[in-house]
Amino acid sequence: MSKKNKYVADENRYEKIKYRRTGNSGLLLPELSLGLWHNFGANDNFKNARNLVKCAFDNGITHFDLANNYGPPYGSAETTFGKILKKDFINYRDELIISSKAGYDMWQGPYGDFGSKKYLIASLDQSLQRMNLDYVDIFYHHRPDYDTPLEETMGTLDLMVRQGKALYIGISNYQPERAAEAFKILKDLGTPCLIHQPRYNMFDRWIEDGLLELLENSGVGAICYSPLAQGMLTDKYIKGLPKDSRAVKDGRYLKTDMVLEMLPKIKALNEIAKNRNQSLAQMAISWILRDQRVTSVLIGASKTNQILDSLKATENTTFSDDELIEINTILSN
């Protein structure tokens, strides 16, 4: 690449977003992190993917979250991200927090899924190769595996840190009881769990039933994914079901029946958002960040203006008691 076209990050990037401490650790994360679950696969537009990462970093989003099987096909999001790092971020590696995960299906056979030492070590090695990295900043076990001893899975995460292949480790999608066991094992091994990545949004509040309290008491951070409930907590469906929406085009993660069932709540929440001078999507993110036990909210984006729009949510994360009562009333009906 010629010097003329070389990417230079915005010099004011660290003034554009706030950072929160991750549990009891020394690590600060931006209030928003960029997830690469969608829009970074082999068939997605590389120029657009590159612009998304640049836009995020130019606005102080330093954390980029991947997994071994993000794509499609599996692995291709990491390959795409590795190319972007090489082209644009060689000089910024020490300003980036890069995370990956393993725990869901990745390759055929008995060693390409769940939580065995065999699978996790091989998966991290492959991820590092795809991204052309010596280490990731955070490596997660992506989901609990009840057939593999927890000591084996957590012992493998500890080993990764000792090998220098990960700086910190985390877990994702663990229920409170299993998470508490994992935290104790890791603490005893000398590699405390840094962070937990659960699904959390206005329509899916399971982490309020014990997990947030556990994280606070254990000194573990929380980074929440799916803040917009697969697009339901936006104004996308206020006037019906657009033909190009995820609910219509791809029913794997969001079904049209679910959208129609939640529509009265979506419309009522949208009115509260208007009164706060926010979009519904912005309010949904602000609502998560109102809780100081949450370290960061993981957003996805297909366009740079979606990142910029989400960033506005961080400007107003305070809710009045009346607003919270009204929101809870809508959500409980």
Side-chain angles (χ1 to χ4, degrees):
M1 179 186 291
S2 68
K3 288 186 178 179
K4 183 180 176 183
N5 296 323
K6 185 172 181 178
Y7 166 66
V8 178
D10 189 310
E11 61 181 18
N12 298 314
R13 59 192 176 278
Y14 292 116
E15 297 165 24
K16 298 182 180 183
I17 195 170
K18 299 186 207 64
Y19 298 82
R20 296 188 181 188
R21 188 162 299 282
T22 313
N24 286 345
S25 77
L27 187 68
L28 297 173
L29 288 181
E31 289 187 334
L32 296 184
S33 300
L34 184 64
L36 278 65
W37 183 24
H38 297 294
N39 307 308
F40 288 83
N43 296 326
D44 291 302
N45 184 293
F46 178 76
K47 184 179 178 183
N48 184 58
R50 192 177 171 191
N51 286 336
L52 291 172
V53 175
K54 288 180 184 177
C55 176
F57 190 62
D58 280 340
N59 286 279
I61 296 175
T62 52
H63 179 208
F64 299 91
D65 183 74
L66 298 107
N68 57 354
N69 63 358
Y70 287 176
Y74 290 172
S76 59
E78 289 181 328
T79 300
T80 295
F81 189 64
K83 290 176 183 174
I84 295 168
L85 290 177
K86 186 176 180 181
K87 281 180 177 291
D88 302 310
F89 289 88
I90 294 270
N91 296 329
Y92 297 107
R93 173 63 183 100
D94 292 336
E95 296 183 48
L96 303 177
I97 301 297
I98 300 168
S99 60
S100 194
K101 318 177 201 72
Y104 285 97
D105 62 302
M106 182 60 194
W107 62 84
Q108 287 185 319
Y111 316 120
D113 204 346
F114 294 108
S116 71
K117 185 175 186 177
K118 171 73 174 171
Y119 169 49
L120 296 180
I121 292 288
S123 183
L124 177 54
D125 285 346
Q126 290 177 20
S127 292
L128 293 174
Q129 194 171 13
R130 281 190 289 268
M131 293 187 281
N132 196 29
L133 292 173
D134 296 324
Y135 68 93
V136 292
D137 297 275
I138 306 169
F139 188 81
Y140 295 88
H141 186 224
H142 208 162
R143 64 165 167 177
D145 173 5
Y146 294 97
D147 294 321
T148 298
L150 197 55
E151 290 79 5
E152 178 179 342
T153 304
M154 295 304 114
T156 304
L157 297 181
D158 170 66
L159 176 63
M160 290 168 172
V161 172
R162 295 181 188 280
Q163 289 177 330
K165 294 177 181 177
L167 301 187
Y168 301 95
I169 47 89
I171 57 176
S172 180
N173 298 311
Y174 275 59
Q175 296 289 326
E177 187 177 342
R178 191 75 166 175
E181 292 176 40
F183 296 162
K184 183 177 187 314
I185 293 168
L186 289 167
K187 186 178 180 182
D188 290 347
L189 288 169
T191 301
C193 185
L194 173 81
I195 196 164
H196 188 303
Q197 186 176 131
R199 183 201 307 269
Y200 183 47
N201 57 60
M202 286 177 164
F203 292 159
D204 190 354
R205 301 175 64 174
W206 72 272
I207 72 171
E208 295 172 11
D209 190 20
L211 183 63
L212 279 172
E213 185 179 1
L214 171 67
L215 298 181
E216 183 178 28
N217 293 338
S218 305
V220 177
I223 179 166
C224 302
Y225 72 89
S226 196
L228 306 182
Q230 297 294 323
M232 283 196 292
L233 288 166
T234 69
D235 59 10
K236 184 185 297 183
Y237 299 107
I238 297 284
K239 294 178 180 175
L241 296 166
K243 289 181 181 177
D244 64 344
S245 66
R246 189 177 297 176
V248 174
K249 283 187 356 186
D250 182 357
R252 287 177 301 165
Y253 304 108
L254 181 62
K255 299 193 179 340
T256 53
D257 290 353
M258 172 70 77
V259 175
L260 294 172
E261 182 185 328
M262 302 303 283
L263 202 50
K265 294 182 181 182
I266 294 168
K267 289 179 176 178
L269 291 169
N270 191 53
E271 291 304 309
I272 300 176
K274 281 184 189 173
N275 292 331
R276 287 172 53 85
N277 295 315
Q278 290 183 313
S279 67
L280 177 53
Q282 288 166 351
M283 185 178 79
I285 292 169
S286 300
W287 180 85
I288 298 173
L289 287 170
R290 85 194 189 286
D291 193 323
Q292 289 300 310
R293 293 172 295 185
V294 173
T295 313
S296 185
V297 171
L298 201 51
I299 61 167
S302 58
K303 304 180 184 74
T304 54
N305 65 358
Q306 291 172 334
I307 295 173
L308 299 174
D309 192 62
S310 294
L311 279 160
K312 292 176 186 171
T314 66
E315 296 169 9
N316 182 12
T317 59
T318 303
F319 288 75
S320 69
D321 290 342
D322 287 344
E323 284 174 328
L324 291 175
I325 289 168
E326 194 176 353
I327 288 169
N328 284 333
T329 301
I330 292 167
L331 295 177
S332 60
N333 283 340

